[in-house]
Amino acid sequence: MTQKKPNLRPEIDFDSLLSQGANTYDSAVGHWWHSRSMDLPHRRAYKHIAESTLAFCQAKSLQPKMILDYACGSGAILGDLLQAFPKAHLIGLDGSRQLLQGVAKSHPDLSELLDQHDAFHAFTKPVSLALTSLPNFRLPEQLCDLVFLIFPNLVPDPKHLGEFNRHGYCNKKDNEVARMLARFREMDPDDETVTMDPEDFFDELMTARVFSRNLRHLLRPGGMLVRVEYSQANRTELTDLTQWRSLFGEGALETPIKGEKCESFFRVVDSEYRKSKVIQDVFHQTGDPDDKIGGYMLTAFEAI
Ligand SMILES: C[S@@+](CC[C@H](N)C(=O)[O-])C[C@H]1O[C@@H](n2cnc3c(N)ncnc32)[C@H](O)[C@@H]1O
């Protein structure tokens, strides 16, 4: 007799919880994320991300003084970053009070919960934490040398539609390019990864681009952004269309689409793929067994 394998997905209604905005993780999702981010595959991934970034900075003779973790969650990478960059000041921003209070409580000597202005200007400990809904264009401009966006899962806040509209969501050229990228389909239907309606996909592309504008807002010119996303391959192995769609959202698309060229505010400088069980975070949310295999992709961008 064959034994049925247990289904190890947590019983969390991700679909409804992940539509509730910046404080979505003040819920069962936050408890789920806290335990995921502390397990061995995640701890290995955070160590690798910090060490790879350090090696990259050394190769380019960069010595970051102000490092920001955008949507830092339970702050699981902060210890690795402090070890890799002992002279830098670290800032962690997130919309979840529950997760930030957890970080401050477990590292009282190293971290303090401050308001968003003091986190950049009036800190007394190596790590400042600040509660904020993201994107936030009122945060100090161009102060950071290095910004991380790791396993983002950003949930746009329905209360902050105005912030999106004021910061590029309605940009005419971007809208034209996003509409084409949302409508185009892969030449080989087996390569198509997008199943959603073009209007929803358009919204996803434009929303991603506003978050990227906010990341650029925080970085000084020449500063570095490290994005780490769940993936099943390195970006260079993906089809042209999939790469253009990602680059558009990242603010780094240099290729004109049907003669239309939108503004680039980042340039890709390096990327790396690593197999890892962290991909199972995606399986927990989708329940699709294909999402059990893969890892993460780390991309370094220069702010231009
Ligand atoms: C999957 S967790 C990743 C956390 C962290 N980067 C890590 O690797 O541990 C996503 C984080 O994004 C935060 N978040 C999602 N949407 C947000 C928003 N609109 N504003 C602020 N934080 C948000 C959540 O609170 C959560 O901590």
Side-chain angles (χ1 to χ4, degrees):
M1 199 173 90
T2 54
Q3 252 191 335
K4 210 170 159 231
K5 280 196 181 161
N7 177 2
L8 298 173
R9 281 183 75 202
E11 288 192 6
I12 298 176
D13 183 356
F14 284 102
D15 283 346
S16 73
L17 288 171
L18 286 175
S19 59
Q20 291 181 5
N23 58 359
T24 288
Y25 280 66
D26 286 340
S27 69
V29 183
H31 293 296
W32 164 78
W33 180 252
H34 182 75
S35 64
R36 293 294 296 163
S37 66
M38 300 295 162
D39 74 5
L40 191 59
H42 286 80
R43 288 208 314 273
R44 283 199 181 125
Y46 294 126
K47 193 166 181 348
H48 166 242
I49 295 163
E51 286 173 355
S52 256
T53 307
L54 174 64
F56 185 82
C57 288
Q58 285 170 338
K60 300 259 173 205
S61 304
L62 299 173
Q63 290 181 328
K65 292 192 183 68
M66 184 81 92
I67 301 179
L68 186 141
D69 188 2
Y70 192 93
C72 64
S74 30
I77 198 175
L78 295 173
D80 295 302
L81 292 181
L82 276 179
Q83 210 171 349
F85 300 97
K87 293 191 181 144
H89 180 69
L90 304 188
I91 302 171
L93 302 177
D94 202 272
S96 165
R97 188 181 294 279
Q98 174 185 314
L99 291 180
L100 288 179
Q101 282 177 340
V103 188
K105 221 166 143 189
S106 38
H107 304 286
D109 302 340
L110 292 175
S111 66
E112 55 192 336
L113 201 44
L114 297 169
D115 73 31
Q116 62 190 52
H117 175 269
D118 290 351
F120 288 80
H121 297 287
F123 45 82
T124 60
K125 296 188 181 171
V127 181
S128 326
L129 304 164
L131 181 70
T132 176
S133 173
L134 298 165
N136 178 348
F137 289 85
R138 281 154 296 133
L139 292 168
E141 227 173 314
Q142 301 193 358
L143 279 191
C144 301
D145 306 297
L146 174 59
V147 173
F148 287 90
L149 177 63
I150 303 174
F151 307 132
N153 223 5
L154 292 166
V155 188
D157 205 312
K159 293 193 291 293
H160 294 151
L161 282 182
E163 189 81 338
F164 281 88
N165 291 338
R166 279 191 298 280
H167 294 281
Y169 192 92
C170 302
N171 180 292
K172 201 162 164 275
K173 180 69 75 185
D174 290 356
N175 277 209
E176 283 170 28
V177 174
R179 290 221 179 273
M180 288 193 270
L181 294 174
R183 217 182 42 237
F184 289 172
R185 286 292 169 259
E186 296 286 1
M187 305 270 264
D188 178 350
D190 285 347
D191 287 337
E192 187 53 79
T193 51
V194 175
T195 49
M196 71 185 107
D197 167 80
E199 203 47 43
D200 291 339
F201 191 35
F202 165 82
D203 177 56
E204 190 174 293
L205 290 168
M206 290 305 301
T207 301
R209 202 162 159 88
V210 174
F211 278 113
S212 294
R213 282 186 193 280
N214 195 215
L215 293 162
R216 179 66 190 82
H217 165 102
L218 292 159
L219 273 163
R220 64 165 177 78
M224 190 173 143
L225 167 66
V226 173
R227 296 179 80 119
V228 181
E229 327 236 5
Y230 303 108
S231 182
Q232 291 176 319
N234 200 351
R235 54 196 309 133
T236 47
E237 293 166 40
L238 305 173
T239 64
D240 283 351
L241 178 56
T242 307
Q243 290 191 49
W244 295 338
R245 287 166 169 167
S246 304
L247 290 166
F248 175 83
E250 292 157 348
L253 177 64
E254 290 180 25
T255 314
I257 304 295
K258 291 219 166 196
E260 301 294 343
K261 169 101 179 67
C262 52
E263 186 199 357
S264 303
F265 30 94
F266 284 111
R267 181 184 305 123
V268 176
V269 284
D270 203 5
S271 83
E272 181 185 350
Y273 169 73
R274 191 165 266 222
K275 273 190 90 173
S276 162
K277 286 192 177 153
V278 299
I279 192 75
Q280 294 192 5
D281 298 346
V282 182
F283 166 67
H284 282 193
Q285 294 174 60
T286 62
D288 180 347
D290 286 351
D291 293 333
K292 280 183 170 180
I293 298 152
Y296 60 92
M297 178 178 80
L298 184 154
T299 311
F301 297 82
E302 184 187 347
I304 49 178

